[in-house]
Each structure stands twice: as structure tokens, then as C-alpha cells.
Amino acid sequence: MLKVIIAEDDSIMRRVLKQILMEIPGVSIIGEAENGQQLVEMVEELEPEVVFLDIDMPEMSGLEVSRKIYEINANIFLVFATGYNCYTHKAFDVYAFDYLVKPFNLERIKHTIQRIKKLKTVKDGNDSLKLESPLDTGDHIKLKIVSNDKSTFINISDIVLITRCNRKTMIYAVGDIVLQTYESLQDLIEKLGRYHFFRCHKSFIINPKMVRELSPWGNKSYLVKLANTKETALMTLECAKEFQNRYCI
């Protein structure tokens, strides 16, 4: 059984998440925390394998807690389950395995648990295995895109830009490759965030290593020029500050 602790200060949301997890075979809820400090104490005492935690919690935020948990046991799988979609990059910087946004989707959570079980099974058979890391560049990982019952695969490291247009999501990649999917940008950033893709605007996800130039575009945004494509993106002023803090010296 996969031992899980849930940390959420909202009792209703905690109950919802607990109910979803209890429907997944092989999952055991061993504890529920209402605040960050209580979560740290539970992790030390109960030794969970997975922790679902919110970003905004009393006494200690989810981001602060995750750093402490990593010091206690770096092998614990941290899954952020929150109403905020703007902390994705910070979450993966503090060793999050996944980032789920409310309202919770049963199939999405099942998929996360399945991935954890698979990695844990492999690791148990090989203690020297290096698990997925938030610093993984994705050089050997492919993104699967399903359209009209056909699956197309593209190297994550080749993706330059993803944007939303006319209710469709367009993916631009090295080699003038253009792919189309109906997946939302939120679903894609949840998949790609751990590989350092950057949600620079509500309508754009970019590969930071492809960025070549930022130039002012109106009062509160920048125009982004990227390598390997003629397409451009927009970046908000707030995201531009974060981008330069994270990726520039």
C-alpha cells in the first residue's frame, strides 16, 4: 500500500481529496494535516511515501514545508494540490513530483498515483536509480499528442513554443514542426513544468532555452522572440522579472 498524508487547511477540500484517493486501489491515507507545522511533525512520525499538500496553509506555506520534508526524506513524493496555478515553477524548484489545480480531476490524480507506483516499483528493485528530478531537461522524454485517435510523439527538448488560438492549442518545435491538440495550456504546463517550461502569459508556454530577445510590448508586457521559429510570444511584466531571476545571470 502507498502511504499518503494529505495537508489542507480547508476541511471540505481535504475531505474531497481524501475521498478521491480512497477510490484508488493500493492507496492508504495515514494522516491529515491542517497546517504546515503539523505536516512536518506527521512526516517525521508516520514516514509517508507520498504527501499531497496545498500552497497556502497556516503557520508554514506548502513551499516552505516541502523544503523541510526534502531534508527529512528526499525520497518522499510531493504532490501540490492547490487552487493557485501561478506557483508551478516554484513548486518544481522545491522538488515537487506533480502539481494539481483545483477542482481535482479523478483521472488526473489516478495518473499521478500510477506514475508514483511505477517509479517506486522500479526504485525498490534498484536502489541506485535516479528518480525524476525537477531539474530534468527532458532530453530523453517525449510528449504524446492525441488527435483523431492518432498519437503523435515529439521530443520535449525540441518544443519551442505552445500557444492557444481559436480554441485549439498549437505546439511549435524545432524543424518547423507544428502540431495541434485540444489539451489546455494548464494541462500541458502540469506535464512540462518539471522540465523547466515557462508559462509566461495566460496564452503562452515557452522553452526558456529558446528565448533570444525580450522587447517592450505595451505598458505591462514584452514581445518574446525565440530560436527555431518565426512565431513570437507575449510575456507579462511580472513573468519577465521571474524569468530573468530564474534563467539569467
Side-chain angles (χ1 to χ4, degrees):
M1 297 289 283
L2 204 60
K3 298 187 296 182
V4 177
I5 289 178
I6 299 172
E8 165 67 69
D9 61 310
D10 186 325
S11 60
I12 295 176
M13 294 308 301
R14 193 167 63 246
R15 193 181 315 127
V16 169
L17 183 55
K18 180 180 180 180
Q19 185 62 45
I20 292 174
L21 289 168
M22 287 177 64
E23 294 180 15
I24 303 175
V27 172
S28 173
I29 310 298
I30 63 171
E32 299 178 44
E34 298 179 0
N35 60 65
Q37 183 58 45
Q38 185 181 24
L39 174 57
V40 172
E41 293 170 359
M42 280 189 174
V43 167
E44 291 179 324
E45 178 183 354
L46 302 177
E47 300 181 350
E49 295 164 292
V50 184
V51 173
F52 282 79
L53 68 162
D54 195 4
I55 291 284
D56 186 16
M57 291 190 296
E59 298 189 26
M60 198 183 304
S61 75
L63 295 172
E64 293 174 305
V65 170
S66 62
R67 295 187 183 94
K68 290 185 177 295
I69 292 175
Y70 187 79
E71 292 174 359
I72 296 169
N73 183 352
N75 291 319
I76 293 175
F77 293 92
L78 301 177
V79 180
F80 281 91
T82 179
Y84 299 93
N85 61 13
C86 55
Y87 290 97
T88 309
H89 305 292
K90 292 183 179 179
F92 289 121
D93 273 351
V94 290
Y95 315 107
F97 178 77
D98 209 346
Y99 191 99
L100 310 176
V101 178
K102 301 172 184 175
F104 302 128
N105 179 284
L106 175 59
E107 291 305 315
R108 180 75 174 82
I109 294 178
K110 281 183 177 178
H111 179 66
T112 296
I113 292 295
Q114 288 170 357
R115 289 172 53 224
I116 290 174
K117 286 181 177 179
K118 182 177 179 180
L119 285 170
K120 188 176 182 302
T121 299
V122 175
K123 183 178 184 298
D124 287 346
N126 180 6
D127 290 336
S128 65
L129 176 70
K130 179 178 180 290
L131 294 182
E132 284 185 79
S133 162
L135 299 179
D136 195 337
T137 62
D139 288 343
H140 306 293
I141 306 297
K142 292 182 181 293
L143 176 66
K144 181 174 77 171
I145 301 165
V146 180
S147 180
N148 298 324
D149 296 325
K150 180 180 73 174
S151 295
T152 304
F153 302 88
I154 184 171
N155 292 331
I156 286 177
S157 57
D158 288 341
I159 296 174
V160 178
L161 163 71
I162 305 174
T163 185
R164 189 77 175 168
C165 181
N166 297 326
R167 298 183 181 179
K168 297 177 183 178
T169 299
M170 307 301 296
I171 300 174
Y172 297 88
V174 174
D176 293 326
I177 294 173
V178 183
L179 299 173
Q180 178 181 298
T181 176
Y182 287 99
E183 283 196 79
S184 69
L185 292 185
Q186 182 57 46
D187 287 342
L188 287 173
I189 196 61
E190 287 179 4
K191 292 179 180 179
L192 298 171
R194 67 179 54 80
Y195 303 110
H196 276 205
F197 278 76
F198 188 66
R199 182 82 179 264
C200 61
H201 186 276
K202 65 180 181 180
S203 300
F204 295 94
I205 297 171
I206 58 174
N207 185 339
K209 71 179 183 181
M210 301 290 183
V211 174
R212 291 292 176 263
E213 180 181 303
L214 296 182
S215 56
W217 188 263
N219 293 327
K220 296 184 178 180
S221 60
Y222 288 87
L223 184 71
V224 186
K225 293 185 179 180
L226 304 114
N228 299 299
T229 183
K230 294 180 180 178
E231 299 294 322
T232 57
L234 291 178
M235 183 181 293
T236 66
L237 180 61
E238 182 179 348
C239 286
K241 293 177 181 178
E242 181 181 352
F243 175 84
Q244 293 180 70
N245 286 336
R246 288 171 56 85
Y247 301 110
C248 302
I249 59 174

